[in-house]
Amino acid sequence: MSVQPDFADNPRILTADSASMEFFRIFGFSADKLKEAAIRALRSARETDDMHSQLSAAGSSFYHSLVSEVRAEIDILDDWSANRSDDNKTSPRAHRADGLALAFAQGTAATGRSTGSPQLRKKPGTVTLLELQRSTSQDPQQMEFERFSEAVEERPQTLWLLLFHRSTDNESVGLEVSLPLGVSDDGKILGWDKRIVFGEIGANDQIMEVRDDGRNTSDDVAVTISAR
């Protein structure tokens, strides 16, 4: 299965190769950047879990590692910016010059699965909620802080969510990039227009890296690097 038909108010769901192709068509870069960032974040969380007893330590390590890895990769791309000064730690996102944007959110167990419909684990931050409402043509809620409204008004956009759901043993993460149909004032997603589902990403999955061994003076050589 690759694409679920768009009828009876069902979201368009893409999986496997179709998901990777659709992601590249929309965002202009390879979905491998997201998958490889998730693998590294899982490995970081696994190491953190070994060092700390706090239940939140591994989850925090995974989130911050994933966000950092993805933003670092995206920020070097033409027309993309992932390190805006007005995006603080509570609303990390990446923007493209034409108004396309990608935000990070923790999803429920349905995340990364073609069946079911994921929700957000936590209510999105103020800026993210306002941007979601504006990008889905809803009437945005009244903002308590005028500077938030002004910042969002300056950058009209279509906001997609990079959803993730990490397993408690840090061995896998469900991953997808999805476009909401709407969002309530309390942060509940009202439905999905399109879901680009990457499935379960494992900590021991392989990462494709480009490495120059010094002997190649023209083209880089792609080498498969697996977990040790």
Side-chain angles (χ1 to χ4, degrees), residues 32-45:
D32 288 344
K33 293 184 182 294
L34 307 184
K35 299 174 186 178
E36 292 168 7
I39 294 171
R40 294 188 181 98
L42 281 171
R43 295 174 186 173
S44 174

Side-chain angles (χ1 to χ4, degrees), residues 3 17 22 30 43 48 52 55 79 86 132 134 147 150 165 167 174 180 182 201 216 228:
V3 182
D17 290 343
E22 181 69 357
S30 174
R43 295 174 186 173
T48 301
H52 300 280
L55 293 177
D79 297 326
D86 57 340
L132 283 172
R134 291 192 69 240
R147 63 187 179 89
E150 292 176 349
H165 179 75
S167 66
I201 309 298
N216 184 10
R228 295 181 179 178

Side-chain angles (χ1 to χ4, degrees), residues 41-154:
L42 281 171
R43 295 174 186 173
S44 174
R46 194 159 53 181
E47 293 172 359
T48 301
D49 201 30
D50 291 339
M51 294 185 294
H52 300 280
S53 60
Q54 297 95 330
L55 293 177
S56 62
S60 177
S61 173
F62 175 85
Y63 174 77
H64 290 293
S65 179
L66 177 67
V67 171
S68 177
E69 288 269 356
V70 173
R71 293 179 78 180
E73 289 285 346
I74 294 178
D75 202 46
I76 63 176
L77 300 172
D78 291 341
D79 297 326
W80 280 93
S81 174
N83 291 300
R84 297 176 62 104
S85 60
D86 57 340
D87 289 331
N88 58 34
K89 294 180 180 179
T90 63
S91 59
R93 66 201 65 248
H95 301 265
R96 198 168 67 183
D98 63 358
L100 193 67
L102 187 63
F104 301 81
Q106 184 177 11
T108 54
T111 301
R113 301 175 183 271
S114 58
T115 57
S117 181
Q119 274 293 331
L120 307 184
R121 285 288 301 274
K122 298 178 180 179
K123 179 180 178 180
T126 303
V127 174
T128 300
L129 182 59
L130 179 58
E131 289 180 338
L132 283 172
Q133 290 175 330
R134 291 192 69 240
S135 68
T136 55
S137 300
Q138 294 177 249
D139 293 329
Q141 63 175 348
Q142 294 295 318
M143 303 300 295
E144 181 178 354
F145 301 103
E146 185 176 345
R147 63 187 179 89
F148 287 149
S149 297
E150 292 176 349
V152 174
E153 286 289 342
E154 292 175 356

Side-chain angles (χ1 to χ4, degrees), residues 1-7 10-22 114 193-197:
M1 181 183 71
S2 59
V3 182
Q4 175 176 310
D6 183 17
F7 59 88
N10 287 326
R12 292 168 288 175
I13 301 176
L14 297 99
T15 61
D17 290 343
S18 294
S20 295
M21 289 188 290
E22 181 69 357
S114 58
D193 179 19
K194 180 179 289 188
R195 296 177 59 204
I196 302 176
V197 177

Side-chain angles (χ1 to χ4, degrees), residues 23-34:
F23 181 86
F24 183 83
R25 184 187 71 80
I26 294 172
F27 293 93
F29 62 92
S30 174
D32 288 344
K33 293 184 182 294
L34 307 184

